[in-house]
Amino acid sequence: MPAYQFKNATSNAVGTTGAEVYTVPAAKKSIMIGCSVSNVTGGALPVEVQLIKADNTIIHLSTSTKLPGGTTLDLFQGKKLVLDTGEKIKVLSKVDSSFDVIVSVLEDVD
């Protein structure tokens, strides 16, 4: 049975170009257990979260979830997502420097 360790990956000032917050290391698997997004602006904004597969296919996990200004939302509260080698979690906004993000994972250490 593989062993896992808890890890956080962070990105601040996420904007329109987006940020690849977490990438599964080579020859590993991970389980995403949280994705907290904080809106650091005063206005409500939609948050886009993508799973980018190893072949660059984009799977949208959230496309327009509205996040009120000054609030935080855990998009994976109580859920889990298995990630394979090379897969990435990317977060985008409609406004520059508007989100801070923490992705929590259990990462394979075997």
Side-chain angles (χ1 to χ4, degrees):
M1 183 167 170
Y4 289 88
Q5 72 179 30
F6 289 96
K7 286 195 170 186
N8 284 325
T10 62
S11 187
N12 67 327
V14 174
T16 57
T17 58
E20 291 179 356
V21 182
Y22 178 75
T23 302
V24 180
K28 302 288 182 182
K29 290 190 181 222
S30 296
I31 302 168
M32 186 166 76
I33 57 175
C35 180
S36 295
V37 181
S38 294
N39 181 344
V40 297
T41 73
L45 294 170
V47 59
E48 183 173 348
V49 180
Q50 301 173 340
L51 165 62
I52 302 174
K53 305 287 285 175
D55 65 1
N56 288 321
T57 301
I58 296 173
I59 307 297
H60 291 90
L61 303 175
S62 169
T63 57
S64 60
T65 302
K66 286 276 187 175
L67 189 55
T71 65
T72 300
L73 175 66
D74 184 353
L75 294 167
F76 273 79
Q77 187 173 19
K79 300 173 190 158
K80 294 164 191 64
L81 179 65
V82 175
L83 302 168
D84 287 320
T85 298
E87 293 183 338
K88 302 172 186 177
I89 299 296
K90 183 175 183 177
V91 178
L92 300 104
S93 176
K94 301 265 186 213
V95 176
D96 284 333
S97 301
S98 55
F99 294 141
D100 288 350
V101 182
I102 300 172
V103 172
S104 298
V105 298
L106 290 171
E107 191 172 274
D108 183 1
V109 293
D110 284 344

